[in-house]
Amino acid sequence: SMPGVLQHTRDSLRKAAAEAARVGVGGIMIFGIPQHKDATGSGATDPDGVLNVAVRDVVSEVGSDVAVMGDLCLDEFTDHGHCGVLDARGRVDNDATLDILGRVAVTHAEAGADIVDVNCGCPAKKVVGRGAGSSLLRDLPHLAVILREMRRRLSIPLTIKIRTGWDDNSIVAVEVGKLAEDCGVEAIAI
């Protein structure tokens, strides 16, 4: 593992969040690793699941001093390790995944998250090979469907992370920025 990277207990996470607030960190994104994983990542929508409990713990520890967001992804919750629900051929089932991610986003908001972030920047081969992460930069109509659905379901700010483009020959950051604005996204990280 990388130096300084570790998995927190509930107590150590609260202490780390309090320290982050004390030194002026403006936001924290929380990732959770459940003990049980399944094909649909059901632990991500469980209000008492590891990530939603962690969001509640951090929010109760730091209040409004630090913006809190949970990771809007299924990879850490699925037994196959991909960011979405897979169909019988092993490809991401976009409709089923969109519904589950929408429920995950709402669950984060109900747990007290200040922001929900859609990651459109992950270049990992297992992610882009299944139509997620930065591969969404090659399919802007599909990205628009995702962003509109998240915006429809949420009353808290929606943000996205992107790369400048899929590769050096397909720079789409400006197009994605316009699309995100049209879909009601409040901020973009490039």
Side-chain angles (χ1 to χ4, degrees):
S1 83
M2 296 186 307
V5 176
L6 57 105
Q7 291 183 13
H8 285 284
T9 65
R10 289 180 70 186
D11 287 338
S12 70
L13 177 61
R14 284 194 283 273
K15 288 176 186 171
E19 177 63 11
R22 188 186 70 71
V23 299
V25 171
I28 299 172
M29 178 177 267
I30 302 170
F31 298 81
I33 307 295
Q35 292 200 358
H36 171 74
K37 299 178 181 200
D38 60 33
T40 62
S42 62
T45 58
D46 180 355
D48 295 317
V50 63
L51 184 53
N52 295 309
V53 167
V55 168
R56 278 195 305 275
D57 284 350
V58 170
V59 168
S60 72
E61 186 68 35
V62 299
S64 62
D65 292 342
V66 176
V68 177
M69 61 184 120
D71 179 37
L72 183 62
C73 196
L74 294 177
D75 61 344
E76 66 264 43
F77 294 94
T78 58
D79 54 11
H80 48 72
H82 295 289
C83 299
V85 178
L86 303 182
D87 64 18
R89 295 183 333 228
R91 295 191 45 85
V92 173
D93 179 333
N94 288 328
D95 292 337
T97 299
L98 183 59
D99 178 61
I100 291 171
L101 287 177
R103 288 188 279 134
V104 172
V106 169
T107 306
H108 289 325
E110 290 171 345
D114 299 298
I115 299 166
V116 168
D117 182 74
V118 177
N119 184 347
C120 304
C122 180
K125 194 177 211 175
K126 75 172 189 174
V127 175
V128 298
R130 306 240 185 221
S134 60
S135 72
L136 291 169
L137 301 177
R138 294 186 298 186
D139 188 356
L140 298 188
H142 181 59
L143 177 57
V145 168
I146 293 168
L147 296 177
R148 284 189 182 102
E149 181 62 14
M150 294 306 113
R151 179 71 284 147
R152 182 185 73 77
R153 292 186 186 216
L154 293 169
S155 60
I156 62 175
L158 176 66
T159 64
I160 62 171
K161 286 188 291 300
I162 66 169
R163 303 172 80 70
T164 56
W166 168 248
D167 60 25
D168 290 340
N169 297 317
S170 62
I171 304 302
V172 294
V174 172
E175 293 167 69
V176 173
K178 289 176 182 175
L179 178 133
E181 183 179 30
D182 290 346
C183 293
V185 170
E186 279 81 5
I188 302 171
I190 300 176

